[in-house]
């Protein structure tokens, strides 16, 4: 980074930067007052990294929005509490003074980049705006700094992409743009709300290492709101666990992971799929649902779902110190500490893998997709080579995982299969019908058999329709029920299957949390009982306990209904659990295909090895002992044709032959394919 472009920073004194005291947040709704946050108190020191974890709807994001003073003007209320930032109570500041603090002193990286970025402005304008407003940079300085920021977050061809719009970026790349904006002014405090939800593990490691280094070198405090416990284990100094609007446990990362003192924390940790342990039959989950905050139950909020509840749990527990030096809101924390209470693993049996049929249900051969890019400012027109010569098959009842970095073409492959995009070349055969040359009548028939769960739940849900209308629409269109009453019953059943309360059918998408919106998208995909589902990051927005429920649900439905899945994801532990075979993509090409266990045990391609090395493990002792797993080299540009292996610019084993020859995808071991000449 050029020294002339850095904002001048004064050395900061050690001590508390942010202190939240007895914070209460209420929302006024037609059903009454929703108490989204109750009595929340915590502090963040300068240069400290604090993680806030908990299920969707627990109050994590609302707490962050309260700190930023971004609650809805007419419905959001803070009836009680103080938010002290750098010696000032933010709740006492007028809007003009608060605007000066936002972006300069406090920056927020939002969960859903597509709804946070202005679709009418170029990426360059959106990155340079805070630089010109808060740091008084001129246009040339701001543009140079914007290019640096895009390069820092791993976006290739940074200068050229400044002139592009948000819709021209993939979901992961949009998230990287949001992170670049958040880092632009080197603020005192960064609040990152699910900052790596849409990122693959290699870029996730790169971004989080960057944010951690900034936190340490520039004394920037970092609050990470996340459900990725591997990220928490690697980067957090302290962990705050929230449940149903309340703080239920707080302590050091080591204490929370190794010596939790609240049953909810214990349940979260046991729900996480892990790469460093043998694959279990089924994911462990926390049964039941988060209570309705408009009518919260008395006593301990977690009691209805807690396997250790006793009579005293009918009374509200206080937040008390524990033997680990942290805090717990549990009547029985001393029994947990003594070992009298242990959450045993479930003995539920998992589903067996599918028996491979003679003919695949879906066959992709030589699939290629190029997107034309119009000439701008005198430059020649060119194309983005999003997918190049991709081939794989999926058999009935099988789940195939599709993994790779953001921008590698995973989602484009899914859209091509769904016929939301027209292939440039290649063939897609589903149930014996070529989807590329199929007639409109054939496609209409097939559309009921193929459904999709989209990556961005907010962008894929109609904001003018209620949840009940969204989930019920395919039921009405295909006339699957005889009357309205049966349709309403079917909607309630579908919502229950994905862990949503029936009363949410009357709400609109903007009234739900990110995880709740994703569950609505899953319910809609299941509504017409398809035979094949493209799951595009279907569980990336869900917290670990609900993620486990959804994955188990998908597996149960597959076993019961014979469903087939293409599971696009960047969470390698989840892919390992749900998939039977795995396809690895890089820069538009398939680089490895193998059976799940074989791929994770004996990866052949250097890129697959890098992916597995970068995946975090939810154990702070293990994670902090590991060296940073960041892939070196530069990401190539999709606008420039590559010669040779697509991974040669970042591969530590690349030779002159690798840079000159495109390696074919060949069977290196029985059933194990890789595209590498070094194997």
């Amino acid at each position: 980074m050029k020294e002339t472009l850095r904002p001048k920073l004064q050395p900061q004194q050690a001590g508390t930067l942010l202190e939240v005291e007895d914070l209460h947040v209420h929302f006024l709704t037609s059903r009454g007052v929703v108490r989204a946050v109750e009595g929340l108190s915590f502090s963040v020191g300068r240069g400290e990294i604090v993680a806030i974890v908990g299920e969707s709807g627990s109050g994590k994001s609302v707490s962050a929005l309260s700190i930023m003073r971004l609650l809805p003007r007419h419905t959001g209320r803070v009836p009680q509490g103080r938010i002290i930032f750098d010696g000032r109570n933010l709740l006492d500041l007028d809007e003009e003074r608060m605007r000066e603090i936002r972006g300069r002193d406090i920056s927020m990286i939002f969960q859903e980049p597509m709804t946070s970025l202005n679709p009418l402005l170029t990426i360059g304008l959106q990155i340079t705006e805070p630089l010109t407003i808060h740091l008084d940079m001129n246009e040339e300085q701001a543009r140079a700094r914007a290019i640096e920021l895009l390069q820092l977050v791993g976006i290739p061809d940074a200068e050229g992409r400044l002139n592009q719009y948000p819709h021209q970026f993939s979901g992961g790349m949009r998230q990287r743009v949001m992170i670049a904006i958040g880092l632009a002014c080197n603020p005192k405090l960064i609040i990152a709300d699910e900052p790596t939800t849409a990122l693959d593990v290699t870029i996730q490691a790169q971004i989080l290492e960057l944010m951690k280094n900034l936190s340490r070198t520039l004394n920037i405090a970092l609050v990470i709101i996340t459900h990725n416990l591997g990220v928490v284990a690697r980067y957090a100094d302290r962990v705050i666990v929230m449940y149903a609007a309340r703080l239920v446990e707080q302590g050091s990362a080591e204490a929370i992971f190794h010596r939790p003192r609240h049953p909810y924390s214990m349940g979260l940790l046991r729900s996480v799929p892990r790469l460093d342990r043998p694959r279990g039959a089924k994911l462990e989950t926390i049964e039941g649902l988060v209570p309705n905050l408009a009518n919260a139950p008395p006593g301990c909020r977690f009691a209805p779902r807690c396997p250790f509840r006793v009579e005293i749990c009918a009374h509200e527990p206080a937040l008390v110190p524990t033997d680990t030096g942290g805090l717990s809101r549990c009547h029985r924390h001393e029994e947990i500490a003594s070992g009298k209470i242990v959450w045993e693993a479930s003995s539920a049996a998992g589903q067996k893998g599918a028996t491979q049929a003679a003919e695949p249900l879906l066959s992709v051969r030589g699939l290629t997709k190029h997107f034309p890019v119009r000439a701008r400012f005198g430059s020649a027109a060119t194309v983005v080579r999003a997918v190049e010569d991709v081939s794989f098959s999926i058999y009935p009842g099988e789940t195939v995982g599709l993994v790779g970095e953001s921008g590698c073409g995973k989602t484009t492959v899914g859209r091509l299969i769904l016929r939301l995009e027209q292939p440039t070349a290649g063939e897609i055969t589903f149930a014996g019908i070529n989807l590329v040359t199929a007639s409109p009548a054939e496609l209409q028939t097939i559309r009921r058999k193929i459904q999709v769960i989209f990556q961005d739940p907010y962008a894929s849900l109609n904001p003018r329709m209620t949840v009940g209308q969204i989930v019920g629409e395919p039921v009405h269109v295909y006339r699957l029920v005889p009357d309205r009453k049966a349709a309403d019953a079917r909607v309630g059943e579908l919502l229950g299957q994905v862990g949503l309360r029936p009363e949410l059918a009357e709400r609109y998408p903007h009234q739900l949390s990110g995880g709740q919106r994703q569950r609505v998208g899953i319910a809609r995909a299941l509504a017409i009982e398809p035979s094949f589902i493209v799951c595009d990051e279907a569980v990336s927005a869900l917290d670990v306990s609900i993620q486990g429920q959804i994955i188990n649900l998908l597996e149960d439905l597959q076993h019961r209904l014979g469903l087939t899945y293409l599971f696009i994801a960047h969470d390698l532990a989840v892919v390992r659990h749900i998939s039977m075979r795995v396809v690895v993509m890089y820069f538009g090409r398939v680089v490895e295909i193998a059976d799940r266990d074989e791929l994770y045990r004996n990866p052949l391609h250097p890129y697959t090895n890098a992916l597995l090395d970068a995946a975090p493990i939810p154990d702070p002792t293990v994670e902090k002992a590991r060296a940073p797993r960041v892939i070196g080299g530069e990401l190539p540009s999709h606008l420039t044709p590559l010669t040779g292996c697509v991974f040669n610019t970042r591969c530590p084993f690349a030779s002159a032959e690798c840079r000159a020859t495109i390696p074919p995808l060949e069977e290196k071991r029985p059933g194990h394919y890789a595209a590498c000449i070094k194997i």
Side-chain angles (χ1 to χ4, degrees), residues 356-425:
Q356 195 169 94
E359 295 295 328
L361 177 66
L362 177 79
S363 179
V364 174
R365 292 288 173 264
L367 191 61
T368 299
K369 178 61 180 178
H370 295 170
F371 292 97
V373 178
R374 289 181 298 176
R376 294 176 63 89
F377 309 114
S379 61
T382 184
V383 296
V384 171
R385 294 166 173 80
V387 175
E388 288 278 1
D389 195 23
V390 166
S391 299
F392 61 88
S393 298
I394 306 178
Y395 289 84
E398 185 181 33
T399 300
V400 169
L402 183 58
V403 301
E405 288 183 287
S406 176
C408 74
K410 305 188 302 294
T411 296
T412 302
V413 168
R415 291 177 63 85
L416 289 167
I417 292 170
L418 293 162
R419 284 304 313 274
L420 298 176
E421 300 285 353
Q422 178 67 27
T424 303

Side-chain angles (χ1 to χ4, degrees), residues 40 52-55 58-60 63 240-243 245-246 264:
L40 178 64
I52 303 178
V53 301
E55 286 182 284
S58 65
K60 308 185 303 295
S63 304
I240 294 168
V241 183
M242 292 188 69
Y243 181 79
R246 290 178 176 167
Y264 178 60

Side-chain angles (χ1 to χ4, degrees), residues 456-569:
D456 189 335
Y458 197 77
S460 63
L461 300 178
N462 190 327
R464 294 182 176 87
M465 295 173 69
T466 65
V467 168
Q469 291 170 334
I470 290 169
V471 176
E473 184 179 33
V475 176
H476 288 296
V477 168
Y478 285 95
R479 300 178 181 178
L480 302 180
V481 292
D483 52 36
R484 179 63 179 270
K485 184 177 180 180
D488 291 342
R490 175 64 175 152
V491 168
E493 177 188 346
L494 288 164
L495 293 179
Q497 280 185 327
V498 298
L500 291 175
R501 294 184 169 277
E503 58 262 27
L504 292 184
E506 299 180 15
R507 293 192 187 179
Y508 289 86
H510 73 275
Q511 296 174 301
L512 305 178
S513 68
Q516 288 171 327
R517 286 194 285 265
Q518 187 69 298
R519 281 176 262 169
V520 172
I522 295 171
R524 179 179 59 183
L526 297 174
I528 55 176
E529 300 179 354
S531 59
F532 178 73
I533 299 179
V534 176
C535 304
D536 188 4
E537 302 285 4
V539 297
S540 64
L542 304 181
D543 47 84
V544 290
S545 59
I546 298 298
Q547 173 181 278
Q549 290 179 10
I550 295 301
I551 290 172
N552 287 344
L553 170 66
L554 291 174
E555 290 181 328
D556 290 341
L557 290 169
Q558 183 175 52
H559 178 68
R560 192 166 72 247
L561 304 175
L563 293 176
T564 304
Y565 301 127
L566 174 63
F567 197 85
I568 301 170

Side-chain angles (χ1 to χ4, degrees), residues 1-2 5 123-129 131 137-163 176-177 180-181 184 210 634:
M1 200 183 291
K2 295 179 183 177
L5 298 180
I123 293 299
L125 283 174
Q126 296 186 64
I127 298 176
T128 57
E129 182 181 33
L131 298 171
M137 288 187 178
N138 60 36
E139 185 177 342
E140 183 180 353
Q141 289 176 318
R143 184 175 177 84
R145 170 70 170 160
I147 293 171
E148 279 188 321
L149 288 165
L150 289 184
Q151 290 171 340
L152 278 174
V153 297
I155 293 182
D157 190 27
E159 186 171 4
R161 305 209 74 165
L162 284 179
N163 297 319
R176 283 184 253 175
V177 170
I181 295 172
L210 169 64
E634 292 295 323

Side-chain angles (χ1 to χ4, degrees), residues 129-398:
E129 182 181 33
L131 298 171
T132 55
I133 291 174
H134 296 301
L135 302 182
D136 296 324
M137 288 187 178
N138 60 36
E139 185 177 342
E140 183 180 353
Q141 289 176 318
R143 184 175 177 84
R145 170 70 170 160
I147 293 171
E148 279 188 321
L149 288 165
L150 289 184
Q151 290 171 340
L152 278 174
V153 297
I155 293 182
D157 190 27
E159 186 171 4
R161 305 209 74 165
L162 284 179
N163 297 319
Q164 293 184 340
Y165 291 85
H167 72 273
Q168 295 174 289
F169 288 69
S170 70
M173 287 191 175
R174 286 194 290 265
Q175 187 69 299
R176 283 184 253 175
V177 170
M178 285 298 304
I179 292 170
I181 295 172
L183 297 174
C185 297
N186 286 337
K188 297 177 182 177
L189 171 67
I190 297 175
I191 301 173
D193 188 0
E194 301 284 3
T196 59
T197 290
L199 303 183
D200 46 86
V201 290
T202 53
I203 297 300
Q204 171 182 280
Q206 200 173 38
I207 295 301
L208 290 171
E209 284 295 325
L210 169 64
M211 293 172 73
K212 184 186 81 170
N213 292 337
L214 286 171
S215 175
R216 299 293 185 243
T217 58
L218 302 177
N219 220 19
I220 296 173
L222 181 59
V223 175
I224 301 177
I225 298 170
T226 183
H227 61 259
N228 188 328
L229 295 183
V231 168
V232 175
R234 182 166 183 82
Y235 297 100
D237 301 314
R238 280 191 301 119
V239 181
I240 294 168
V241 183
M242 292 188 69
Y243 181 79
R246 290 178 176 167
L247 188 157
V248 296
E249 187 168 7
Q250 181 179 180
S252 67
E254 189 276 336
I256 295 293
F257 278 84
H258 295 306
R259 294 172 292 160
R261 295 298 182 252
H262 194 283
Y264 178 60
S265 305
M266 297 164 67
L268 280 182
L269 291 168
R270 69 196 283 275
S271 302
V272 183
R274 296 177 59 148
L275 286 175
D276 62 334
R277 290 180 182 171
R279 178 184 179 271
K282 291 188 77 170
L283 284 177
E284 300 287 344
T285 62
I286 304 175
E287 298 304 321
L289 302 176
V290 178
N292 180 2
L293 296 180
N295 186 24
C300 175
R301 296 281 171 86
F302 188 59
R305 305 172 69 189
C306 181
F308 314 121
R309 61 183 177 272
V310 291
E311 187 176 344
I312 196 175
C313 298
H315 301 282
E316 171 62 25
L319 192 64
V320 296
T322 68
D323 62 307
T324 65
L327 300 171
S328 173
R329 194 184 296 275
C330 179
H331 291 295
R332 309 188 70 186
H333 70 89
E334 291 180 345
E335 294 176 79
I336 296 174
S338 67
K340 292 181 180 178
I341 292 179
V342 179
W343 198 326
E344 299 291 346
S346 170
S347 60
Q351 308 299 346
K352 296 181 179 179
T355 302
Q356 195 169 94
E359 295 295 328
L361 177 66
L362 177 79
S363 179
V364 174
R365 292 288 173 264
L367 191 61
T368 299
K369 178 61 180 178
H370 295 170
F371 292 97
V373 178
R374 289 181 298 176
R376 294 176 63 89
F377 309 114
S379 61
T382 184
V383 296
V384 171
R385 294 166 173 80
V387 175
E388 288 278 1
D389 195 23
V390 166
S391 299
F392 61 88
S393 298
I394 306 178
Y395 289 84
E398 185 181 33

